[in-house]
Amino acid sequence: MAVHSIVVIGASYAGLGTAHYLLRHTIPALEKANSTTKYKLTLISAATHFYHKVGAPRFLASPDLIPLSKAFLPISDGFKRYDEDHFELVIGTVTALDDAEKTITVSDTYGSASPRTVTYSTIVLATGSSSESPLWSIPGSHEDTIASLKAMQSALPNAETVLIAGGGPAGIETAGEIASLFPQIDITLLSGGDRLLTRLRPAIGAAAESQASALGVKVVHNLKVKSTSRTGSQTTVALSDGTSRTVDIYIDATGVRPNSAFLPRSWLTEKGYVITKDNTSLHGPADGVYAIGDVAGYSLGGALDIIDAVRPLCSTIFADLAGPNAGGVKPQRFKQTVTETQLVPIGPKGGVGSVFGWQIPSFVVWAIKSRDYMIGKVPGTVNGDSYVKA
């Protein structure tokens, strides 16, 4: 029997959701439609554990608020229900992709094994994005991120000065968490522009600045970090106005870059994101190639660009692979939410935000996100609970 290999690269929010949906719904339907073909999914993850990076601002502030054991869960545990004929988990970092040969080179994250080659017929790119700081993403082993979080937890109680670069959610949320726990620390937040939270309307950014200021955070606009250097336990930060500051703790929350260095340059936009030819079907830059989540060119970087895309993506894959045997089933189309939707906690008691263009009060931000950074949803994310139903 012929075997069609579906490879999903990336096992964060987008990759996990896509893999579970394909295994639960798409592959069984394909094997009914094409009875002479078996379909096997290979999930490639650089790390053994899923990291709920949404909660990083609270994780780094204190070990007493949310145990790190709840933030990092083994990916393999979520896929135990699938048989080995249909699923394989490969732990390693993808270093090269040859579309002509349909092969992927995977290097061992831990350096204990030789690189291996994985072949594919269909590929889903869900590699996400990375940040300069390991606090926000897993650079390789999840143990490195845990070590960085623990180091920050240990350093904060003795710190007198903290400088945070980045006026987006990560920066403002981190400032709020630290200020709420350590009001004695002199905290400065550099927005890097003329206001905070540029994906939300100016009034919401101003409200965020007001709430942060009430906690003692000094917000400075139109000033960027040019370079940093360590001197003992402190960091000297060179700024765009020619001045410098030496602080006890420097936190880089300035943004992300797509994890796409291993891909052919012709597949990428100028900024390194994967080209999506049709944003409603999520077809990628070549036949049999699809993209979802932060690495994809269609994405605005929000959670809804993953949540709302999983089912349409998988239905597109079914339609493409089933062909004339699809039984008239038409693929769902991805409809992107373009109205502002973002929740930004500023400390444990609330924050600012907007949902589908409606500005929401602080207590709603608390109820949805600020209360516990949705830590209770982590097991369901790893287990694919949102995709039990087609």
Side-chain angles (χ1 to χ4, degrees), residues 114-252:
S114 300
R116 63 174 287 186
T117 299
V118 176
T119 60
Y120 68 90
S121 307
T122 297
I123 189 169
V124 178
L125 302 171
T127 49
S129 57
S130 298
S131 58
E132 290 297 326
S133 170
L135 295 169
W136 317 116
S137 58
I138 298 180
S141 167
H142 73 286
E143 294 168 352
D144 295 336
T145 300
I146 290 176
S148 296
L149 292 167
K150 287 184 175 180
M152 187 64 66
Q153 293 171 349
S154 297
L156 281 170
N158 300 314
E160 294 182 2
T161 53
V162 172
L163 178 66
I164 303 169
I172 187 65
E173 290 179 22
T174 300
E177 292 296 320
I178 296 174
S180 296
L181 282 173
F182 304 102
Q184 76 280 7
I185 296 180
D186 183 343
I187 303 170
T188 301
L189 174 65
L190 305 183
S191 72
D194 57 7
R195 66 184 183 90
L196 298 175
L197 302 175
T198 56
R199 290 187 178 179
L200 297 174
R201 72 194 76 167
I204 299 179
E209 182 170 345
S210 178
Q211 289 189 28
S213 297
L215 291 172
V217 177
K218 299 181 181 69
V219 179
V220 179
H221 299 296
N222 299 310
L223 193 61
K224 295 184 178 181
V225 174
K226 302 297 289 184
S227 64
T228 63
S229 60
R230 292 281 293 180
T231 305
S233 62
Q234 294 185 309
T235 300
T236 298
V237 182
L239 301 170
S240 57
D241 64 356
T243 65
S244 64
R245 299 186 189 185
T246 299
V247 295
D248 294 324
I249 295 176
Y250 168 67
I251 299 175
D252 187 334

